[in-house]
Amino acid sequence: GDSVTQMEGPVTLSEEAFLTINCTYTATGYPSLFWYVQYPGEGLQLLLKATKADDKGSNKGFEATYRKETTSFHLEKGSVQVSDSAVYFCALSDQGGASKIIFGSGTRLSIRP
Amino acid sequence: DVKVTQSSRYLVKRTGEKVFLECVQDMDHENMFWYRQDPGLGLRLIYFSYDVKMKEKGDIPEGYSVSREKKERFSLILESASTNQTSMYLCASRGQGGFFNYGYTFGSGTRLTVV
């Protein structure tokens, strides 16, 4: 079945460092891909998405490119801030509506001032 | 701004109590979902509903039931709360249609502690 694998955390970086969180997926079709972010004590928020190969999703300085050839959707940010400390979830959907979205296990990111 | 609202942020209940977690969305979405989130286990789907009065079991339905009497409201019921149901509960909704690029909209979560 479909699955999402993302890098284990926690990831700890200094402020202004470059961030990469790796995500790879397995799917039978051509899924849509998502990154969600969860700040402490909150629910998940959609950070960005991409719906077809070579699409780049971007938001709040974060970017991820849908790479069909490597089945990847890595999250990147050029200069992280303390406020980016959160848990990040990679996810996929290959059907709409009532079909559930498949989530990765989450990567906790901590940014040191 | 569109919203999924969960009625309580924090809840403490006693073992054996019947517990209701409420979720309301204002986006006219057909599909609603209940997850629980535990450290090291990620998000696990409990139940979902694709229409009023319709429900489907997710991956971990044991010990839970749901109710969807109105389109905007999806309730999760713990028939007899146990300590192993202490968790963060997340409600989500999703629109219908042929486009699978629509993600979930999540509520803020309810942290339930069963003592």
Short mmCIF file of all heavy atoms in Angstrom, two decimals, chain A residues 30-32 34 36 38 41-44 49 51 89 93-101 103 105, chain B residues 9 31 33 35 37 43 45 48 50 59 88 90 94-96 99-104 106-108:
data_model
loop_
_atom_site.label_atom_id
_atom_site.label_comp_id
_atom_site.label_asym_id
_atom_site.label_seq_id
_atom_site.Cartn_x
_atom_site.Cartn_y
_atom_site.Cartn_z
N TYR A 30 -0.36 8.61 -9.07
CA TYR A 30 0.35 9.89 -9.09
C TYR A 30 -0.27 10.77 -8.00
O TYR A 30 -1.17 11.56 -8.27
CB TYR A 30 0.22 10.53 -10.47
CG TYR A 30 0.82 9.68 -11.54
CD1 TYR A 30 0.06 8.76 -12.25
CD2 TYR A 30 2.19 9.75 -11.82
CE1 TYR A 30 0.62 7.95 -13.23
CE2 TYR A 30 2.77 8.95 -12.80
CZ TYR A 30 1.97 8.06 -13.49
OH TYR A 30 2.52 7.25 -14.44
N PRO A 31 0.24 10.62 -6.80
CA PRO A 31 -0.42 11.29 -5.67
C PRO A 31 -0.15 12.78 -5.63
O PRO A 31 0.77 13.28 -6.29
CB PRO A 31 0.21 10.61 -4.46
CG PRO A 31 1.59 10.25 -4.93
CD PRO A 31 1.42 9.86 -6.38
N SER A 32 -0.94 13.46 -4.84
CA SER A 32 -0.60 14.80 -4.40
C SER A 32 0.22 14.67 -3.12
O SER A 32 0.03 13.74 -2.34
CB SER A 32 -1.86 15.61 -4.12
OG SER A 32 -2.55 15.88 -5.31
N PHE A 34 2.06 16.64 0.36
CA PHE A 34 1.83 17.74 1.30
C PHE A 34 2.92 17.76 2.36
O PHE A 34 3.50 16.72 2.71
CB PHE A 34 0.49 17.56 2.04
CG PHE A 34 -0.71 17.35 1.14
CD1 PHE A 34 -1.06 16.07 0.74
CD2 PHE A 34 -1.47 18.42 0.76
CE1 PHE A 34 -2.17 15.88 -0.08
CE2 PHE A 34 -2.58 18.23 -0.05
CZ PHE A 34 -2.93 16.96 -0.46
N TYR A 36 2.80 19.23 6.31
CA TYR A 36 2.05 19.85 7.38
C TYR A 36 3.02 20.21 8.51
O TYR A 36 4.03 19.54 8.71
CB TYR A 36 1.00 18.88 7.94
CG TYR A 36 -0.25 18.78 7.10
CD1 TYR A 36 -0.30 17.91 6.01
CD2 TYR A 36 -1.37 19.53 7.39
CE1 TYR A 36 -1.44 17.81 5.23
CE2 TYR A 36 -2.52 19.43 6.62
CZ TYR A 36 -2.55 18.57 5.55
OH TYR A 36 -3.68 18.48 4.79
N GLN A 38 3.14 21.25 12.76
CA GLN A 38 2.41 21.25 14.03
C GLN A 38 3.23 22.00 15.07
O GLN A 38 4.29 21.52 15.49
CB GLN A 38 2.13 19.83 14.50
CG GLN A 38 1.27 19.76 15.76
CD GLN A 38 0.99 18.33 16.19
OE1 GLN A 38 1.82 17.45 16.01
NE2 GLN A 38 -0.18 18.11 16.77
N GLY A 41 1.40 22.16 21.09
CA GLY A 41 0.06 22.26 21.63
C GLY A 41 -1.03 22.54 20.62
O GLY A 41 -2.19 22.78 21.00
N GLU A 42 -0.70 22.49 19.34
CA GLU A 42 -1.66 22.84 18.30
C GLU A 42 -1.97 21.64 17.41
O GLU A 42 -1.30 20.61 17.47
CB GLU A 42 -1.11 23.96 17.42
CG GLU A 42 -0.82 25.25 18.17
CD GLU A 42 -2.09 25.95 18.59
OE1 GLU A 42 -3.11 25.84 17.87
OE2 GLU A 42 -2.08 26.60 19.65
N GLY A 43 -3.00 21.82 16.56
CA GLY A 43 -3.26 20.84 15.52
C GLY A 43 -2.31 21.04 14.35
O GLY A 43 -1.41 21.89 14.39
N LEU A 44 -2.50 20.26 13.29
CA LEU A 44 -1.64 20.36 12.12
C LEU A 44 -2.16 21.44 11.18
O LEU A 44 -3.36 21.60 11.00
CB LEU A 44 -1.60 19.02 11.37
CG LEU A 44 -0.66 17.95 11.91
CD1 LEU A 44 -1.14 17.40 13.23
CD2 LEU A 44 -0.48 16.84 10.88
N LYS A 49 2.00 22.32 -0.64
CA LYS A 49 1.59 21.12 -1.35
C LYS A 49 2.07 21.19 -2.79
O LYS A 49 2.42 22.27 -3.30
CB LYS A 49 0.07 20.96 -1.32
CG LYS A 49 -0.68 22.00 -2.13
CD LYS A 49 -2.18 21.76 -2.09
CE LYS A 49 -2.91 22.76 -2.98
NZ LYS A 49 -4.38 22.60 -2.91
N THR A 51 0.99 19.03 -6.62
CA THR A 51 0.01 18.09 -7.13
C THR A 51 0.48 17.29 -8.33
O THR A 51 -0.19 16.34 -8.74
CB THR A 51 -1.29 18.82 -7.51
OG1 THR A 51 -0.97 19.81 -8.49
CG2 THR A 51 -1.89 19.49 -6.30
N PHE A 89 5.30 17.11 9.17
CA PHE A 89 4.78 15.85 8.65
C PHE A 89 4.70 15.91 7.13
O PHE A 89 4.10 16.84 6.57
CB PHE A 89 3.36 15.59 9.18
CG PHE A 89 3.29 15.31 10.64
CD1 PHE A 89 3.13 16.35 11.55
CD2 PHE A 89 3.35 14.01 11.12
CE1 PHE A 89 3.06 16.10 12.91
CE2 PHE A 89 3.27 13.75 12.48
CZ PHE A 89 3.13 14.79 13.38
N SER A 93 -1.68 11.94 -0.83
CA SER A 93 -3.06 11.58 -1.11
C SER A 93 -3.15 11.15 -2.56
O SER A 93 -2.77 11.92 -3.45
CB SER A 93 -3.98 12.76 -0.86
OG SER A 93 -5.29 12.48 -1.29
N ASP A 94 -3.63 9.94 -2.78
CA ASP A 94 -3.80 9.53 -4.18
C ASP A 94 -5.25 9.44 -4.59
O ASP A 94 -5.57 9.02 -5.68
CB ASP A 94 -3.06 8.21 -4.45
CG ASP A 94 -3.65 7.05 -3.68
OD1 ASP A 94 -4.62 7.25 -2.93
OD2 ASP A 94 -3.14 5.93 -3.84
N GLN A 95 -6.14 9.79 -3.65
CA GLN A 95 -7.55 9.86 -3.99
C GLN A 95 -8.15 11.02 -3.23
O GLN A 95 -7.64 11.45 -2.21
CB GLN A 95 -8.27 8.58 -3.62
CG GLN A 95 -7.78 7.36 -4.39
CD GLN A 95 -8.54 6.12 -4.00
OE1 GLN A 95 -9.76 6.08 -4.05
NE2 GLN A 95 -7.82 5.11 -3.56
N GLY A 96 -9.25 11.50 -3.73
CA GLY A 96 -9.86 12.65 -3.07
C GLY A 96 -10.91 12.26 -2.09
O GLY A 96 -11.13 11.10 -1.80
N GLY A 97 -11.56 13.27 -1.58
CA GLY A 97 -12.74 13.10 -0.77
C GLY A 97 -12.53 12.28 0.47
O GLY A 97 -11.73 12.63 1.34
N ALA A 98 -13.24 11.15 0.55
CA ALA A 98 -13.25 10.38 1.79
C ALA A 98 -11.98 9.57 1.98
O ALA A 98 -11.77 9.02 3.06
CB ALA A 98 -14.46 9.45 1.81
N SER A 99 -11.15 9.47 0.97
CA SER A 99 -9.94 8.69 1.15
C SER A 99 -9.00 9.37 2.12
O SER A 99 -8.80 10.58 2.06
CB SER A 99 -9.24 8.50 -0.19
OG SER A 99 -10.05 7.75 -1.04
N LYS A 100 -8.42 8.57 2.97
CA LYS A 100 -7.57 9.18 3.98
C LYS A 100 -6.24 9.59 3.37
O LYS A 100 -5.78 9.05 2.39
CB LYS A 100 -7.34 8.21 5.13
CG LYS A 100 -6.57 6.96 4.77
CD LYS A 100 -6.40 6.08 5.99
CE LYS A 100 -5.59 4.85 5.66
NZ LYS A 100 -5.39 3.97 6.84
N ILE A 101 -5.65 10.58 4.01
CA ILE A 101 -4.30 11.02 3.66
C ILE A 101 -3.32 10.19 4.46
O ILE A 101 -3.54 9.90 5.64
CB ILE A 101 -4.16 12.52 3.94
CG1 ILE A 101 -5.04 13.31 2.96
CG2 ILE A 101 -2.71 12.96 3.84
CD1 ILE A 101 -5.01 14.81 3.17
N PHE A 103 0.16 9.82 6.29
CA PHE A 103 1.15 10.69 6.92
C PHE A 103 2.44 9.94 7.22
O PHE A 103 2.41 8.75 7.57
CB PHE A 103 0.61 11.26 8.23
CG PHE A 103 -0.46 12.30 8.04
CD1 PHE A 103 -1.79 11.93 7.96
CD2 PHE A 103 -0.13 13.64 7.95
CE1 PHE A 103 -2.78 12.88 7.79
CE2 PHE A 103 -1.12 14.60 7.77
CZ PHE A 103 -2.45 14.21 7.69
N SER A 105 5.78 9.81 9.86
CA SER A 105 5.80 9.75 11.33
C SER A 105 6.14 11.08 11.99
O SER A 105 6.03 11.22 13.20
CB SER A 105 6.81 8.70 11.78
OG SER A 105 8.09 8.99 11.25
N ARG B 9 -9.90 22.08 24.51
CA ARG B 9 -8.46 21.93 24.29
C ARG B 9 -7.87 20.90 25.25
O ARG B 9 -6.97 20.15 24.88
CB ARG B 9 -7.76 23.27 24.48
CG ARG B 9 -8.07 24.31 23.43
CD ARG B 9 -7.60 23.88 22.05
NE ARG B 9 -6.17 23.66 21.98
CZ ARG B 9 -5.28 24.61 21.75
NH1 ARG B 9 -5.66 25.85 21.56
NH2 ARG B 9 -3.99 24.33 21.69
N ASN B 31 -16.51 15.23 4.21
CA ASN B 31 -15.69 14.20 4.85
C ASN B 31 -15.06 14.72 6.13
O ASN B 31 -14.47 15.80 6.16
CB ASN B 31 -14.58 13.77 3.90
CG ASN B 31 -15.13 13.39 2.54
OD1 ASN B 31 -15.81 12.39 2.41
ND2 ASN B 31 -14.86 14.22 1.54
N PHE B 33 -12.84 13.37 9.83
CA PHE B 33 -11.94 12.32 10.30
C PHE B 33 -11.58 12.56 11.76
O PHE B 33 -11.44 13.71 12.19
CB PHE B 33 -10.63 12.37 9.49
CG PHE B 33 -10.81 12.25 8.00
CD1 PHE B 33 -11.19 13.35 7.25
CD2 PHE B 33 -10.60 11.05 7.35
CE1 PHE B 33 -11.35 13.25 5.88
CE2 PHE B 33 -10.76 10.94 5.98
CZ PHE B 33 -11.14 12.05 5.24
N TYR B 35 -8.45 11.41 14.37
CA TYR B 35 -7.15 10.79 14.59
C TYR B 35 -6.79 10.90 16.07
O TYR B 35 -7.22 11.80 16.77
CB TYR B 35 -6.07 11.51 13.81
CG TYR B 35 -6.06 11.27 12.32
CD1 TYR B 35 -6.90 11.99 11.47
CD2 TYR B 35 -5.19 10.35 11.76
CE1 TYR B 35 -6.88 11.76 10.11
CE2 TYR B 35 -5.15 10.13 10.40
CZ TYR B 35 -6.00 10.84 9.57
OH TYR B 35 -5.97 10.62 8.22
N GLN B 37 -3.05 11.06 18.26
CA GLN B 37 -1.62 11.27 18.07
C GLN B 37 -0.89 10.95 19.35
O GLN B 37 -1.18 11.54 20.40
CB GLN B 37 -1.35 12.72 17.64
CG GLN B 37 0.11 12.99 17.36
CD GLN B 37 0.36 14.43 16.98
OE1 GLN B 37 -0.43 15.32 17.26
NE2 GLN B 37 1.47 14.68 16.30
N LEU B 43 0.26 9.78 13.65
CA LEU B 43 -1.19 9.95 13.60
C LEU B 43 -1.82 8.63 13.23
O LEU B 43 -1.42 8.01 12.23
CB LEU B 43 -1.57 11.00 12.55
CG LEU B 43 -1.49 12.46 12.97
CD1 LEU B 43 -0.05 12.92 13.05
CD2 LEU B 43 -2.25 13.31 11.97
N LEU B 45 -5.59 6.83 12.42
CA LEU B 45 -6.98 7.12 12.09
C LEU B 45 -7.91 6.22 12.90
O LEU B 45 -7.79 5.00 12.87
CB LEU B 45 -7.21 6.91 10.59
CG LEU B 45 -8.60 7.21 10.07
CD1 LEU B 45 -8.95 8.68 10.25
CD2 LEU B 45 -8.70 6.82 8.60
N PHE B 48 -13.78 7.68 10.29
CA PHE B 48 -14.08 8.79 9.41
C PHE B 48 -15.51 8.65 8.88
O PHE B 48 -16.15 7.61 9.01
CB PHE B 48 -13.05 8.93 8.29
CG PHE B 48 -13.00 7.79 7.32
CD1 PHE B 48 -13.62 7.88 6.08
CD2 PHE B 48 -12.28 6.64 7.62
CE1 PHE B 48 -13.55 6.85 5.17
CE2 PHE B 48 -12.21 5.59 6.70
CZ PHE B 48 -12.84 5.70 5.48
N TYR B 50 -18.03 10.05 5.51
CA TYR B 50 -18.09 10.71 4.21
C TYR B 50 -19.47 11.31 3.92
O TYR B 50 -19.71 11.84 2.84
CB TYR B 50 -17.67 9.76 3.09
CG TYR B 50 -18.43 8.47 3.06
CD1 TYR B 50 -19.61 8.36 2.35
CD2 TYR B 50 -17.96 7.36 3.74
CE1 TYR B 50 -20.32 7.17 2.33
CE2 TYR B 50 -18.66 6.16 3.74
CZ TYR B 50 -19.84 6.08 3.03
OH TYR B 50 -20.53 4.91 3.03
N ASP B 59 -8.05 2.75 11.37
CA ASP B 59 -7.06 1.73 11.73
C ASP B 59 -7.17 1.24 13.17
O ASP B 59 -6.78 0.12 13.48
CB ASP B 59 -5.64 2.29 11.49
CG ASP B 59 -5.45 2.71 10.05
OD1 ASP B 59 -5.88 1.96 9.15
OD2 ASP B 59 -4.87 3.79 9.81
N MET B 88 -3.65 12.86 22.45
CA MET B 88 -4.11 14.05 21.73
C MET B 88 -5.04 13.56 20.62
O MET B 88 -4.66 12.69 19.83
CB MET B 88 -2.93 14.81 21.14
CG MET B 88 -3.33 15.90 20.16
SD MET B 88 -4.03 17.33 20.98
CE MET B 88 -2.63 18.46 20.87
N LEU B 90 -7.26 14.58 17.28
CA LEU B 90 -7.32 15.58 16.22
C LEU B 90 -8.47 15.28 15.28
O LEU B 90 -8.61 14.15 14.81
CB LEU B 90 -6.00 15.58 15.43
CG LEU B 90 -4.77 16.02 16.20
CD1 LEU B 90 -3.51 15.69 15.41
CD2 LEU B 90 -4.81 17.50 16.50
N ARG B 94 -12.44 17.47 5.06
CA ARG B 94 -11.92 17.53 3.70
C ARG B 94 -13.08 17.62 2.74
O ARG B 94 -14.09 16.94 2.90
CB ARG B 94 -11.11 16.26 3.41
CG ARG B 94 -10.35 16.28 2.10
CD ARG B 94 -9.62 14.98 1.88
NE ARG B 94 -8.60 15.11 0.86
CZ ARG B 94 -7.93 14.11 0.34
NH1 ARG B 94 -8.16 12.88 0.75
NH2 ARG B 94 -7.01 14.31 -0.58
N GLY B 95 -12.93 18.45 1.72
CA GLY B 95 -13.99 18.59 0.73
C GLY B 95 -14.08 17.39 -0.18
O GLY B 95 -13.17 16.56 -0.27
N GLN B 96 -15.18 17.30 -0.88
CA GLN B 96 -15.41 16.23 -1.85
C GLN B 96 -14.97 16.69 -3.23
O GLN B 96 -14.24 17.66 -3.36
CB GLN B 96 -16.92 15.88 -1.85
CG GLN B 96 -17.29 14.58 -2.52
CD GLN B 96 -16.64 13.36 -1.90
OE1 GLN B 96 -16.20 13.36 -0.77
NE2 GLN B 96 -16.54 12.30 -2.68
N PHE B 99 -10.94 16.10 -7.03
CA PHE B 99 -9.57 16.58 -6.94
C PHE B 99 -8.92 16.07 -5.67
O PHE B 99 -9.36 16.34 -4.58
CB PHE B 99 -9.54 18.10 -6.94
CG PHE B 99 -10.22 18.69 -8.15
CD1 PHE B 99 -11.48 19.24 -8.03
CD2 PHE B 99 -9.62 18.65 -9.38
CE1 PHE B 99 -12.12 19.76 -9.14
CE2 PHE B 99 -10.24 19.17 -10.49
CZ PHE B 99 -11.49 19.73 -10.38
N PHE B 100 -7.85 15.30 -5.82
CA PHE B 100 -7.20 14.79 -4.61
C PHE B 100 -6.06 15.68 -4.17
O PHE B 100 -5.23 15.28 -3.38
CB PHE B 100 -6.73 13.35 -4.82
CG PHE B 100 -5.90 13.15 -6.05
CD1 PHE B 100 -4.56 13.44 -6.06
CD2 PHE B 100 -6.47 12.64 -7.20
CE1 PHE B 100 -3.80 13.24 -7.19
CE2 PHE B 100 -5.71 12.43 -8.34
CZ PHE B 100 -4.37 12.72 -8.33
N ASN B 101 -6.01 16.88 -4.68
CA ASN B 101 -5.02 17.81 -4.17
C ASN B 101 -5.54 18.62 -3.01
O ASN B 101 -4.86 19.51 -2.53
CB ASN B 101 -4.53 18.73 -5.29
CG ASN B 101 -5.67 19.46 -5.96
OD1 ASN B 101 -6.82 19.16 -5.72
ND2 ASN B 101 -5.36 20.42 -6.79
N TYR B 102 -6.74 18.33 -2.57
CA TYR B 102 -7.25 19.00 -1.39
C TYR B 102 -6.77 18.26 -0.16
O TYR B 102 -6.99 17.08 -0.01
CB TYR B 102 -8.78 19.04 -1.39
CG TYR B 102 -9.39 19.83 -2.51
CD1 TYR B 102 -10.66 19.55 -2.96
CD2 TYR B 102 -8.71 20.87 -3.12
CE1 TYR B 102 -11.25 20.26 -3.98
CE2 TYR B 102 -9.27 21.59 -4.14
CZ TYR B 102 -10.55 21.29 -4.57
OH TYR B 102 -11.12 22.01 -5.57
N GLY B 103 -6.13 19.00 0.72
CA GLY B 103 -5.68 18.37 1.96
C GLY B 103 -6.74 18.46 3.03
O GLY B 103 -7.88 18.84 2.78
N TYR B 104 -6.35 18.06 4.22
CA TYR B 104 -7.22 18.19 5.38
C TYR B 104 -7.11 19.60 5.95
O TYR B 104 -6.07 20.24 5.86
CB TYR B 104 -6.76 17.28 6.51
CG TYR B 104 -6.94 15.80 6.34
CD1 TYR B 104 -6.14 14.94 7.08
CD2 TYR B 104 -7.90 15.25 5.53
CE1 TYR B 104 -6.29 13.57 6.99
CE2 TYR B 104 -8.05 13.88 5.43
CZ TYR B 104 -7.23 13.04 6.16
OH TYR B 104 -7.38 11.69 6.08
N PHE B 106 -7.36 20.80 9.81
CA PHE B 106 -7.38 20.22 11.14
C PHE B 106 -7.92 21.20 12.17
O PHE B 106 -7.76 22.42 12.03
CB PHE B 106 -5.96 19.85 11.59
CG PHE B 106 -5.45 18.55 11.03
CD1 PHE B 106 -4.76 18.53 9.84
CD2 PHE B 106 -5.67 17.36 11.70
CE1 PHE B 106 -4.28 17.33 9.31
CE2 PHE B 106 -5.20 16.16 11.19
CZ PHE B 106 -4.50 16.15 9.99
N GLY B 107 -8.52 20.65 13.22
CA GLY B 107 -8.80 21.42 14.41
C GLY B 107 -7.55 21.55 15.27
O GLY B 107 -6.49 21.00 14.94
N SER B 108 -7.68 22.27 16.38
CA SER B 108 -6.52 22.54 17.24
C SER B 108 -6.18 21.37 18.16
O SER B 108 -5.14 21.40 18.82
CB SER B 108 -6.78 23.77 18.09
OG SER B 108 -6.93 24.91 17.26
#
